[in-house]
Amino acid sequence: MGKSLYEKVWEAHALRTLPNGQTQLFIDVHLIHEVTSPQAFGMLRDLGLKVRYPERTFATVDHIVPTHSLAEPFEDPQADEMIRHLRKNVAEHGITFFDVTSGRQGIVHVIGPENGITQPGMTIACGDSHTSTHGAFGAIAFGIGTTQVRDVLATQTMAVSKLKVRRINVDGRLGPGVYAKDVILHIIRTLGVNGGIGYAYEYGGSVFDRFSMEERMTVCNMSIEGGARIGYVNPDQTTFDYLKGRPYAPKGEAWDRAVERWKALASDPDAHYDDVVNIRAEDIAPTVTWGINPGQGCAIDERVPDPAHYPEPQRAAIEEALAHMKLKPGQPIKGVKVDVAFLGSCTNGRISDFREAAKYLKGRKVAPGVRAIAVPGSQQVAKQCEEEGIADIFREAGFEWRGAGCSMCLAMNPDRLVGDELCASSSNRNFKGRQGSATGRTVLMSPVMVVAAAVTGRISDAREVFGAELVGA
Amino acid sequence: MPLEAIKQVSGRAVYLPGDDIDTDRITPARYLKVVTFDGLGEALFYDERFNPDGSEKPHPLNDPRFKGARIMLVGANFGCGSSREHAPQAIYRAGFRALVGESFAEIFFGNATTLSMPCVTAPKADIAALARAIEEDPNLIVTVDVERLEVRYADKAFKVNLPPTAQKALVEGRWDPIADLLEASDLIEEAHARLPRATLS
Ligand code: SF4
């Protein structure tokens, strides 16, 4: 019986079994940001410990950065304290920091891949649940809590238990207007928001074989929304082509050796999986959420559920979601009025997302009354968008074109919903209050669907709005 | 320094109904703009407990009958979403020392265990029966027995689950793994020399 990539990477990094039965796992790359690291540095100080291998940790600032102006001090004194705290910590411990002045700052899950820091076969940890994104490269990437951030800083290892592996095949052809975001929203809807507890998800099949790295990242990113702490795709030529020449990727002979090593890491054809799920690409429609968790989704041409048709406890959950979303039982989701359109986040804030969105936005205008915000995932993405004329397309259409950061994905900076505004969002979470207002409403969708919503002022089917312009993936 | 062994937790309990309670609800993001965990207890479920003007909403945690509870009863997939340790920190700092639920999200579970707060799972019916019992008598003392893996109250008891690794860590006072991790210094050095890293080249 062959081995999965997960098993191979695990074996290479497992140092020993701890007294409680967990494994002490070596972490190759540790990524940190301003929100979940300050307490960890505080704990290190209290224990009199140092950062064991500062060269294995990389820092950025993303959650609290204002996107309208980087003038310091930041308007929000708490945000200002957080960035100053991070600067002090990285300077004291000799950690590489992609600061706002570096030209390389951005969302941690955008800049790791973009700089070639994320590589196949690595174990990666970050105090952030969307660390699963890095699995797109065939890395095993863990979202961790702050005490574990301390553990990794102090020992470059952490205590973890091995997961089971579920292989998810998506085969066939995605229809026009169906994107990676729809694939993962469909998977979560199918397997449930807690279906992945105890599993690492290995994504494969012909759709993933054809996907670009950025599309793979979109899917892996939201593994955690399905309960799976880890999601990954086996490395292949697409992976190597993406990484080649990036600043932190190996060069010359070291590159050739690395590629050989990476090829051997992919799951064996006869690898053992604890579970296998097969999904037909043709069954996936442009998908949007109607509720308050990412599993409460439906195809754009479906109706929201009627709680009366469901037994408890689903009924209560649907009632709560519809009440928050101010939707009527059984109403169509299409046509619901939109107040805000947000394009960005670590799910869909990469260059390919803006390129694809710009294709359909070009020559169109944001509907009156809609506040539309575009937030590139990193300063590099922002720069590329300027160079390619994408930023101008957004500005001309009436989008606010902002600086890089997490922004309205979780509204720790000044970008937020007001009252019960409804936001068509390319981000990953539609939890109550997620976008900065306790009564705010979030509808998750692909970037092109966000554009369709922005230009029509309604939740719309991109296939109807853009018609024959849309091509299949 | 040996840590406290968590063999059992006793106290009054409060029931928070609902599945898929995410960590954004447990600690809204604006309470994350801090560089320490101090004072987080007040942020616990803030937007569910208070109106924007600061007045209280009806919520089990606002109910005077359940003030001072040490055990929280919850539904399925509790603590899903963001990995923020602020969530279990807020629960702990609000005075809770154990959770009983149908299931817990993985990162939340790990974070809570590392804080010495057991998150044991039990079937829905057992939790519902206990919830009814505390509704009738909010002063009921509930015991979460981590060693015997059961919950006891009045003259009743039910079995609970806890992964053996977490159980061992709690009852042996090894819930904070740092001391164990630090021990393996030579293995760490060997792995650092052997395993690739990202270098600017
Ligand atoms: S973009 Fe959103 S989900 Fe991604 S790291 Fe930032 S806050 Fe988290």
Side-chain angles (χ1 to χ4, degrees), chain A residues 33 62-63 107-110 128-131 133 221 225 342 344-348 377 405-412 427-429 434, chain B residues 82 84:
Chain A
H33 62 62
D62 47 10
H63 288 62
I107 306 172
V108 63
H109 313 307
V110 175
D128 196 288
S129 61
H130 292 105
T131 307
T133 312
N221 174 275
E225 310 314 336
F342 171 65
S345 87
C346 59
T347 313
N348 283 122
C406 294
S407 177
M408 212 189 265
C409 174
L410 96 165
M412 275 184 78
S427 56
N428 46 45
R429 286 187 173 143
R434 173 74 179 184
Chain B
S82 159
R84 59 187 71 164

PDB file of all heavy atoms in Angstrom, chain A residues 33 62-63 107-110 128-131 133 221 225 342 344-348 377 405-412 427-429 434, chain B residues 82 84, ligand 1:
ATOM      1  N   HIS A  33       1.565  37.100  12.222  1.00  0.00           N
ATOM      2  CA  HIS A  33       1.025  38.439  11.989  1.00  0.00           C
ATOM      3  C   HIS A  33       0.704  39.106  13.317  1.00  0.00           C
ATOM      4  O   HIS A  33       0.868  38.515  14.384  1.00  0.00           O
ATOM      5  CB  HIS A  33      -0.156  38.413  11.010  1.00  0.00           C
ATOM      6  CG  HIS A  33      -1.357  37.616  11.460  1.00  0.00           C
ATOM      7  ND1 HIS A  33      -2.083  37.930  12.576  1.00  0.00           N
ATOM      8  CD2 HIS A  33      -1.947  36.519  10.920  1.00  0.00           C
ATOM      9  CE1 HIS A  33      -3.082  37.079  12.707  1.00  0.00           C
ATOM     10  NE2 HIS A  33      -3.017  36.193  11.716  1.00  0.00           N
ATOM     11  N   ASP A  62      -1.296  42.515   8.490  1.00  0.00           N
ATOM     12  CA  ASP A  62      -2.369  42.445   7.496  1.00  0.00           C
ATOM     13  C   ASP A  62      -3.752  42.768   8.062  1.00  0.00           C
ATOM     14  O   ASP A  62      -4.508  43.540   7.480  1.00  0.00           O
ATOM     15  CB  ASP A  62      -2.390  41.062   6.814  1.00  0.00           C
ATOM     16  CG  ASP A  62      -2.292  39.887   7.799  1.00  0.00           C
ATOM     17  OD1 ASP A  62      -2.400  40.126   9.022  1.00  0.00           O
ATOM     18  OD2 ASP A  62      -2.112  38.737   7.356  1.00  0.00           O
ATOM     19  N   HIS A  63      -4.068  42.254   9.250  1.00  0.00           N
ATOM     20  CA  HIS A  63      -5.441  42.387   9.738  1.00  0.00           C
ATOM     21  C   HIS A  63      -5.837  43.826  10.065  1.00  0.00           C
ATOM     22  O   HIS A  63      -6.952  44.238   9.800  1.00  0.00           O
ATOM     23  CB  HIS A  63      -5.648  41.509  10.977  1.00  0.00           C
ATOM     24  CG  HIS A  63      -5.701  40.043  10.672  1.00  0.00           C
ATOM     25  ND1 HIS A  63      -4.651  39.366  10.112  1.00  0.00           N
ATOM     26  CD2 HIS A  63      -6.689  39.134  10.835  1.00  0.00           C
ATOM     27  CE1 HIS A  63      -5.001  38.084   9.955  1.00  0.00           C
ATOM     28  NE2 HIS A  63      -6.229  37.925  10.384  1.00  0.00           N
ATOM     29  N   ILE A 107      -1.543  40.130   2.935  1.00  0.00           N
ATOM     30  CA  ILE A 107      -2.153  39.087   3.754  1.00  0.00           C
ATOM     31  C   ILE A 107      -1.191  37.907   3.814  1.00  0.00           C
ATOM     32  O   ILE A 107      -0.629  37.494   2.798  1.00  0.00           O
ATOM     33  CB  ILE A 107      -3.501  38.638   3.166  1.00  0.00           C
ATOM     34  CG1 ILE A 107      -4.431  39.839   2.955  1.00  0.00           C
ATOM     35  CG2 ILE A 107      -4.162  37.605   4.084  1.00  0.00           C
ATOM     36  CD1 ILE A 107      -5.710  39.496   2.211  1.00  0.00           C
ATOM     37  N   VAL A 108      -1.026  37.385   4.993  1.00  0.00           N
ATOM     38  CA  VAL A 108      -0.014  36.353   5.235  1.00  0.00           C
ATOM     39  C   VAL A 108      -0.148  35.189   4.242  1.00  0.00           C
ATOM     40  O   VAL A 108       0.862  34.668   3.764  1.00  0.00           O
ATOM     41  CB  VAL A 108      -0.083  35.907   6.720  1.00  0.00           C
ATOM     42  CG1 VAL A 108      -1.423  35.262   7.071  1.00  0.00           C
ATOM     43  CG2 VAL A 108       1.062  35.007   7.081  1.00  0.00           C
ATOM     44  N   HIS A 109      -1.368  34.819   3.893  1.00  0.00           N
ATOM     45  CA  HIS A 109      -1.552  33.670   2.992  1.00  0.00           C
ATOM     46  C   HIS A 109      -1.421  34.051   1.521  1.00  0.00           C
ATOM     47  O   HIS A 109      -1.514  33.206   0.646  1.00  0.00           O
ATOM     48  CB  HIS A 109      -2.900  33.002   3.254  1.00  0.00           C
ATOM     49  CG  HIS A 109      -3.140  32.773   4.703  1.00  0.00           C
ATOM     50  ND1 HIS A 109      -2.223  32.108   5.499  1.00  0.00           N
ATOM     51  CD2 HIS A 109      -4.138  33.169   5.526  1.00  0.00           C
ATOM     52  CE1 HIS A 109      -2.682  32.098   6.740  1.00  0.00           C
ATOM     53  NE2 HIS A 109      -3.827  32.736   6.787  1.00  0.00           N
ATOM     54  N   VAL A 110      -1.236  35.321   1.275  1.00  0.00           N
ATOM     55  CA  VAL A 110      -0.948  35.754  -0.098  1.00  0.00           C
ATOM     56  C   VAL A 110       0.562  35.904  -0.266  1.00  0.00           C
ATOM     57  O   VAL A 110       1.134  35.468  -1.264  1.00  0.00           O
ATOM     58  CB  VAL A 110      -1.681  37.076  -0.428  1.00  0.00           C
ATOM     59  CG1 VAL A 110      -1.287  37.585  -1.812  1.00  0.00           C
ATOM     60  CG2 VAL A 110      -3.191  36.879  -0.340  1.00  0.00           C
ATOM     61  N   ASP A 128      -3.338  31.382  12.432  1.00  0.00           N
ATOM     62  CA  ASP A 128      -4.431  31.853  11.578  1.00  0.00           C
ATOM     63  C   ASP A 128      -5.060  30.636  10.913  1.00  0.00           C
ATOM     64  O   ASP A 128      -4.362  29.817  10.320  1.00  0.00           O
ATOM     65  CB  ASP A 128      -3.871  32.803  10.510  1.00  0.00           C
ATOM     66  CG  ASP A 128      -4.974  33.606   9.858  1.00  0.00           C
ATOM     67  OD1 ASP A 128      -5.740  33.028   9.077  1.00  0.00           O
ATOM     68  OD2 ASP A 128      -5.076  34.806  10.159  1.00  0.00           O
ATOM     69  N   SER A 129      -6.373  30.531  11.007  1.00  0.00           N
ATOM     70  CA  SER A 129      -7.014  29.287  10.563  1.00  0.00           C
ATOM     71  C   SER A 129      -6.930  29.074   9.056  1.00  0.00           C
ATOM     72  O   SER A 129      -7.047  27.949   8.586  1.00  0.00           O
ATOM     73  CB  SER A 129      -8.471  29.262  11.007  1.00  0.00           C
ATOM     74  OG  SER A 129      -9.156  30.340  10.439  1.00  0.00           O
ATOM     75  N   HIS A 130      -6.724  30.142   8.283  1.00  0.00           N
ATOM     76  CA  HIS A 130      -6.658  29.958   6.825  1.00  0.00           C
ATOM     77  C   HIS A 130      -5.276  29.569   6.324  1.00  0.00           C
ATOM     78  O   HIS A 130      -4.993  29.637   5.127  1.00  0.00           O
ATOM     79  CB  HIS A 130      -7.192  31.198   6.113  1.00  0.00           C
ATOM     80  CG  HIS A 130      -8.666  31.342   6.342  1.00  0.00           C
ATOM     81  ND1 HIS A 130      -9.189  32.266   7.190  1.00  0.00           N
ATOM     82  CD2 HIS A 130      -9.708  30.609   5.881  1.00  0.00           C
ATOM     83  CE1 HIS A 130     -10.499  32.114   7.239  1.00  0.00           C
ATOM     84  NE2 HIS A 130     -10.842  31.116   6.465  1.00  0.00           N
ATOM     85  N   THR A 131      -4.437  29.145   7.259  1.00  0.00           N
ATOM     86  CA  THR A 131      -3.116  28.641   6.886  1.00  0.00           C
ATOM     87  C   THR A 131      -3.237  27.441   5.949  1.00  0.00           C
ATOM     88  O   THR A 131      -2.316  27.145   5.186  1.00  0.00           O
ATOM     89  CB  THR A 131      -2.341  28.285   8.168  1.00  0.00           C
ATOM     90  OG1 THR A 131      -2.370  29.427   9.030  1.00  0.00           O
ATOM     91  CG2 THR A 131      -0.900  27.926   7.888  1.00  0.00           C
ATOM     92  N   THR A 133      -4.456  27.370   3.296  1.00  0.00           N
ATOM     93  CA  THR A 133      -4.183  27.880   1.939  1.00  0.00           C
ATOM     94  C   THR A 133      -2.890  27.317   1.356  1.00  0.00           C
ATOM     95  O   THR A 133      -2.822  26.971   0.175  1.00  0.00           O
ATOM     96  CB  THR A 133      -4.018  29.421   1.988  1.00  0.00           C
ATOM     97  OG1 THR A 133      -5.091  29.975   2.723  1.00  0.00           O
ATOM     98  CG2 THR A 133      -3.962  30.020   0.595  1.00  0.00           C
ATOM     99  N   ASN A 221      -7.751  27.223   0.946  1.00  0.00           N
ATOM    100  CA  ASN A 221      -8.019  28.284   1.913  1.00  0.00           C
ATOM    101  C   ASN A 221      -9.244  27.985   2.760  1.00  0.00           C
ATOM    102  O   ASN A 221      -9.247  28.148   3.986  1.00  0.00           O
ATOM    103  CB  ASN A 221      -8.206  29.595   1.140  1.00  0.00           C
ATOM    104  CG  ASN A 221      -8.646  30.765   1.999  1.00  0.00           C
ATOM    105  OD1 ASN A 221      -9.824  30.942   2.244  1.00  0.00           O
ATOM    106  ND2 ASN A 221      -7.690  31.543   2.472  1.00  0.00           N
ATOM    107  N   GLU A 225     -13.286  26.004   6.643  1.00  0.00           N
ATOM    108  CA  GLU A 225     -14.729  26.297   6.732  1.00  0.00           C
ATOM    109  C   GLU A 225     -15.544  25.011   6.644  1.00  0.00           C
ATOM    110  O   GLU A 225     -16.725  24.988   6.980  1.00  0.00           O
ATOM    111  CB  GLU A 225     -15.182  27.267   5.648  1.00  0.00           C
ATOM    112  CG  GLU A 225     -14.371  28.538   5.469  1.00  0.00           C
ATOM    113  CD  GLU A 225     -14.027  29.275   6.727  1.00  0.00           C
ATOM    114  OE1 GLU A 225     -14.726  29.127   7.743  1.00  0.00           O
ATOM    115  OE2 GLU A 225     -13.020  30.002   6.702  1.00  0.00           O
ATOM    116  N   PHE A 342     -17.561  43.647  -1.893  1.00  0.00           N
ATOM    117  CA  PHE A 342     -16.171  43.592  -1.409  1.00  0.00           C
ATOM    118  C   PHE A 342     -15.396  42.544  -2.193  1.00  0.00           C
ATOM    119  O   PHE A 342     -15.754  41.370  -2.201  1.00  0.00           O
ATOM    120  CB  PHE A 342     -16.142  43.256   0.089  1.00  0.00           C
ATOM    121  CG  PHE A 342     -14.753  42.970   0.620  1.00  0.00           C
ATOM    122  CD1 PHE A 342     -13.785  43.971   0.649  1.00  0.00           C
ATOM    123  CD2 PHE A 342     -14.416  41.706   1.082  1.00  0.00           C
ATOM    124  CE1 PHE A 342     -12.504  43.714   1.127  1.00  0.00           C
ATOM    125  CE2 PHE A 342     -13.136  41.436   1.573  1.00  0.00           C
ATOM    126  CZ  PHE A 342     -12.178  42.443   1.595  1.00  0.00           C
ATOM    127  N   GLY A 344     -11.702  40.950  -2.343  1.00  0.00           N
ATOM    128  CA  GLY A 344     -10.412  40.877  -1.672  1.00  0.00           C
ATOM    129  C   GLY A 344     -10.335  39.637  -0.821  1.00  0.00           C
ATOM    130  O   GLY A 344     -11.077  38.673  -1.063  1.00  0.00           O
ATOM    131  N   SER A 345      -9.419  39.613   0.159  1.00  0.00           N
ATOM    132  CA  SER A 345      -9.196  38.554   1.145  1.00  0.00           C
ATOM    133  C   SER A 345      -8.203  37.505   0.679  1.00  0.00           C
ATOM    134  O   SER A 345      -7.832  37.450  -0.496  1.00  0.00           O
ATOM    135  CB  SER A 345     -10.501  37.855   1.558  1.00  0.00           C
ATOM    136  OG  SER A 345     -10.795  36.795   0.668  1.00  0.00           O
ATOM    137  N   CYS A 346      -7.820  36.641   1.614  1.00  0.00           N
ATOM    138  CA  CYS A 346      -6.856  35.581   1.303  1.00  0.00           C
ATOM    139  C   CYS A 346      -7.489  34.477   0.479  1.00  0.00           C
ATOM    140  O   CYS A 346      -6.791  33.606  -0.028  1.00  0.00           O
ATOM    141  CB  CYS A 346      -6.249  35.019   2.584  1.00  0.00           C
ATOM    142  SG  CYS A 346      -7.461  34.318   3.720  1.00  0.00           S
ATOM    143  N   THR A 347      -8.804  34.520   0.319  1.00  0.00           N
ATOM    144  CA  THR A 347      -9.473  33.531  -0.535  1.00  0.00           C
ATOM    145  C   THR A 347      -9.432  33.975  -1.990  1.00  0.00           C
ATOM    146  O   THR A 347      -9.136  33.186  -2.884  1.00  0.00           O
ATOM    147  CB  THR A 347     -10.956  33.371  -0.118  1.00  0.00           C
ATOM    148  OG1 THR A 347     -11.016  33.236   1.285  1.00  0.00           O
ATOM    149  CG2 THR A 347     -11.590  32.169  -0.774  1.00  0.00           C
ATOM    150  N   ASN A 348      -9.741  35.219  -2.214  1.00  0.00           N
ATOM    151  CA  ASN A 348      -9.890  35.720  -3.583  1.00  0.00           C
ATOM    152  C   ASN A 348      -9.340  37.135  -3.727  1.00  0.00           C
ATOM    153  O   ASN A 348     -10.009  38.009  -4.294  1.00  0.00           O
ATOM    154  CB  ASN A 348     -11.366  35.720  -3.997  1.00  0.00           C
ATOM    155  CG  ASN A 348     -11.889  34.346  -4.362  1.00  0.00           C
ATOM    156  OD1 ASN A 348     -12.841  33.848  -3.782  1.00  0.00           O
ATOM    157  ND2 ASN A 348     -11.262  33.699  -5.347  1.00  0.00           N
ATOM    158  N   GLY A 377      -4.716  41.637  -2.224  1.00  0.00           N
ATOM    159  CA  GLY A 377      -4.225  40.816  -1.126  1.00  0.00           C
ATOM    160  C   GLY A 377      -2.820  41.166  -0.678  1.00  0.00           C
ATOM    161  O   GLY A 377      -2.413  40.808   0.419  1.00  0.00           O
ATOM    162  N   GLY A 405      -4.446  44.426   2.332  1.00  0.00           N
ATOM    163  CA  GLY A 405      -4.712  43.986   3.699  1.00  0.00           C
ATOM    164  C   GLY A 405      -5.945  43.099   3.753  1.00  0.00           C
ATOM    165  O   GLY A 405      -6.525  42.751   2.726  1.00  0.00           O
ATOM    166  N   CYS A 406      -6.324  42.737   4.987  1.00  0.00           N
ATOM    167  CA  CYS A 406      -7.496  41.875   5.178  1.00  0.00           C
ATOM    168  C   CYS A 406      -8.792  42.673   5.043  1.00  0.00           C
ATOM    169  O   CYS A 406      -9.816  42.161   4.614  1.00  0.00           O
ATOM    170  CB  CYS A 406      -7.468  41.252   6.561  1.00  0.00           C
ATOM    171  SG  CYS A 406      -6.099  40.116   6.808  1.00  0.00           S
ATOM    172  N   SER A 407      -8.739  43.913   5.494  1.00  0.00           N
ATOM    173  CA  SER A 407      -9.839  44.850   5.306  1.00  0.00           C
ATOM    174  C   SER A 407     -11.183  44.296   5.753  1.00  0.00           C
ATOM    175  O   SER A 407     -11.320  43.752   6.850  1.00  0.00           O
ATOM    176  CB  SER A 407      -9.866  45.265   3.828  1.00  0.00           C
ATOM    177  OG  SER A 407     -10.942  46.116   3.527  1.00  0.00           O
ATOM    178  N   MET A 408     -12.156  44.367   4.877  1.00  0.00           N
ATOM    179  CA  MET A 408     -13.522  44.052   5.253  1.00  0.00           C
ATOM    180  C   MET A 408     -13.801  42.557   5.360  1.00  0.00           C
ATOM    181  O   MET A 408     -14.933  42.158   5.632  1.00  0.00           O
ATOM    182  CB  MET A 408     -14.489  44.692   4.273  1.00  0.00           C
ATOM    183  CG  MET A 408     -15.778  45.089   4.951  1.00  0.00           C
ATOM    184  SD  MET A 408     -16.988  45.603   3.769  1.00  0.00           S
ATOM    185  CE  MET A 408     -16.744  47.346   3.781  1.00  0.00           C
ATOM    186  N   CYS A 409     -12.777  41.734   5.192  1.00  0.00           N
ATOM    187  CA  CYS A 409     -12.984  40.312   5.458  1.00  0.00           C
ATOM    188  C   CYS A 409     -13.334  40.120   6.925  1.00  0.00           C
ATOM    189  O   CYS A 409     -14.151  39.277   7.264  1.00  0.00           O
ATOM    190  CB  CYS A 409     -11.745  39.507   5.100  1.00  0.00           C
ATOM    191  SG  CYS A 409     -11.897  37.784   5.575  1.00  0.00           S
ATOM    192  N   LEU A 410     -12.688  40.889   7.815  1.00  0.00           N
ATOM    193  CA  LEU A 410     -13.056  40.780   9.225  1.00  0.00           C
ATOM    194  C   LEU A 410     -13.129  42.113   9.945  1.00  0.00           C
ATOM    195  O   LEU A 410     -13.400  42.157  11.136  1.00  0.00           O
ATOM    196  CB  LEU A 410     -12.140  39.807   9.989  1.00  0.00           C
ATOM    197  CG  LEU A 410     -10.943  40.359  10.759  1.00  0.00           C
ATOM    198  CD1 LEU A 410     -10.401  39.342  11.695  1.00  0.00           C
ATOM    199  CD2 LEU A 410      -9.949  40.905   9.816  1.00  0.00           C
ATOM    200  N   ALA A 411     -12.879  43.212   9.183  1.00  0.00           N
ATOM    201  CA  ALA A 411     -13.183  44.538   9.720  1.00  0.00           C
ATOM    202  C   ALA A 411     -12.468  44.863  11.019  1.00  0.00           C
ATOM    203  O   ALA A 411     -13.054  45.380  11.953  1.00  0.00           O
ATOM    204  CB  ALA A 411     -14.698  44.697   9.890  1.00  0.00           C
ATOM    205  N   MET A 412     -11.184  44.518  11.092  1.00  0.00           N
ATOM    206  CA  MET A 412     -10.410  44.993  12.244  1.00  0.00           C
ATOM    207  C   MET A 412      -9.784  46.343  11.930  1.00  0.00           C
ATOM    208  O   MET A 412      -9.121  46.937  12.765  1.00  0.00           O
ATOM    209  CB  MET A 412      -9.306  43.996  12.596  1.00  0.00           C
ATOM    210  CG  MET A 412      -9.806  42.883  13.492  1.00  0.00           C
ATOM    211  SD  MET A 412      -8.490  41.800  13.981  1.00  0.00           S
ATOM    212  CE  MET A 412      -7.701  42.764  15.267  1.00  0.00           C
ATOM    213  N   SER A 427     -14.880  37.024   0.252  1.00  0.00           N
ATOM    214  CA  SER A 427     -14.109  36.501   1.377  1.00  0.00           C
ATOM    215  C   SER A 427     -14.598  35.101   1.758  1.00  0.00           C
ATOM    216  O   SER A 427     -15.253  34.433   0.957  1.00  0.00           O
ATOM    217  CB  SER A 427     -14.209  37.475   2.555  1.00  0.00           C
ATOM    218  OG  SER A 427     -15.568  37.690   2.889  1.00  0.00           O
ATOM    219  N   ASN A 428     -14.302  34.646   2.960  1.00  0.00           N
ATOM    220  CA  ASN A 428     -14.537  33.244   3.293  1.00  0.00           C
ATOM    221  C   ASN A 428     -15.498  32.998   4.451  1.00  0.00           C
ATOM    222  O   ASN A 428     -15.822  31.862   4.751  1.00  0.00           O
ATOM    223  CB  ASN A 428     -13.194  32.585   3.601  1.00  0.00           C
ATOM    224  CG  ASN A 428     -12.353  33.457   4.518  1.00  0.00           C
ATOM    225  OD1 ASN A 428     -12.865  33.985   5.501  1.00  0.00           O
ATOM    226  ND2 ASN A 428     -11.088  33.633   4.196  1.00  0.00           N
ATOM    227  N   ARG A 429     -15.902  34.052   5.155  1.00  0.00           N
ATOM    228  CA  ARG A 429     -16.753  33.823   6.322  1.00  0.00           C
ATOM    229  C   ARG A 429     -17.951  34.766   6.323  1.00  0.00           C
ATOM    230  O   ARG A 429     -17.789  35.970   6.167  1.00  0.00           O
ATOM    231  CB  ARG A 429     -15.960  34.005   7.618  1.00  0.00           C
ATOM    232  CG  ARG A 429     -15.040  32.830   7.830  1.00  0.00           C
ATOM    233  CD  ARG A 429     -14.337  32.828   9.150  1.00  0.00           C
ATOM    234  NE  ARG A 429     -13.630  31.561   9.266  1.00  0.00           N
ATOM    235  CZ  ARG A 429     -12.442  31.396   9.818  1.00  0.00           C
ATOM    236  NH1 ARG A 429     -11.826  32.425  10.349  1.00  0.00           N
ATOM    237  NH2 ARG A 429     -11.884  30.207   9.853  1.00  0.00           N
ATOM    238  N   ARG A 434     -19.232  39.302  11.306  1.00  0.00           N
ATOM    239  CA  ARG A 434     -17.886  39.135  10.765  1.00  0.00           C
ATOM    240  C   ARG A 434     -17.349  40.402  10.108  1.00  0.00           C
ATOM    241  O   ARG A 434     -16.162  40.708  10.177  1.00  0.00           O
ATOM    242  CB  ARG A 434     -17.895  37.979   9.750  1.00  0.00           C
ATOM    243  CG  ARG A 434     -16.602  37.787   8.988  1.00  0.00           C
ATOM    244  CD  ARG A 434     -15.522  37.169   9.849  1.00  0.00           C
ATOM    245  NE  ARG A 434     -14.298  36.974   9.076  1.00  0.00           N
ATOM    246  CZ  ARG A 434     -13.206  36.385   9.548  1.00  0.00           C
ATOM    247  NH1 ARG A 434     -13.166  35.943  10.784  1.00  0.00           N
ATOM    248  NH2 ARG A 434     -12.143  36.245   8.797  1.00  0.00           N
TER     249      ARG A 434
ATOM    250  N   SER B  82     -12.355  30.968  13.013  1.00  0.00           N
ATOM    251  CA  SER B  82     -11.032  31.530  13.280  1.00  0.00           C
ATOM    252  C   SER B  82     -10.291  30.779  14.387  1.00  0.00           C
ATOM    253  O   SER B  82     -10.887  30.336  15.363  1.00  0.00           O
ATOM    254  CB  SER B  82     -11.210  32.996  13.679  1.00  0.00           C
ATOM    255  OG  SER B  82     -10.113  33.486  14.388  1.00  0.00           O
ATOM    256  N   ARG B  84      -8.393  32.009  16.530  1.00  0.00           N
ATOM    257  CA  ARG B  84      -8.063  32.925  17.626  1.00  0.00           C
ATOM    258  C   ARG B  84      -8.158  32.257  18.996  1.00  0.00           C
ATOM    259  O   ARG B  84      -9.221  31.814  19.427  1.00  0.00           O
ATOM    260  CB  ARG B  84      -8.979  34.153  17.559  1.00  0.00           C
ATOM    261  CG  ARG B  84     -10.451  33.839  17.658  1.00  0.00           C
ATOM    262  CD  ARG B  84     -11.321  35.067  17.411  1.00  0.00           C
ATOM    263  NE  ARG B  84     -11.271  35.445  15.994  1.00  0.00           N
ATOM    264  CZ  ARG B  84     -12.146  36.269  15.418  1.00  0.00           C
ATOM    265  NH1 ARG B  84     -13.108  36.823  16.131  1.00  0.00           N
ATOM    266  NH2 ARG B  84     -12.039  36.565  14.136  1.00  0.00           N
TER     267      ARG B  84
HETATM  268  S1  SF4 C   1      -8.182  37.922   4.643  1.00  0.00           S
HETATM  269 FE1  SF4 C   1      -9.693  37.388   6.161  1.00  0.00          FE
HETATM  270  S2  SF4 C   1      -9.568  35.213   6.450  1.00  0.00           S
HETATM  271 FE2  SF4 C   1      -7.736  35.877   5.350  1.00  0.00          FE
HETATM  272  S3  SF4 C   1      -6.208  36.155   6.940  1.00  0.00           S
HETATM  273 FE3  SF4 C   1      -7.187  38.114   6.608  1.00  0.00          FE
HETATM  274  S4  SF4 C   1      -8.865  38.165   8.075  1.00  0.00           S
HETATM  275 FE4  SF4 C   1      -8.184  36.054   7.952  1.00  0.00          FE
END
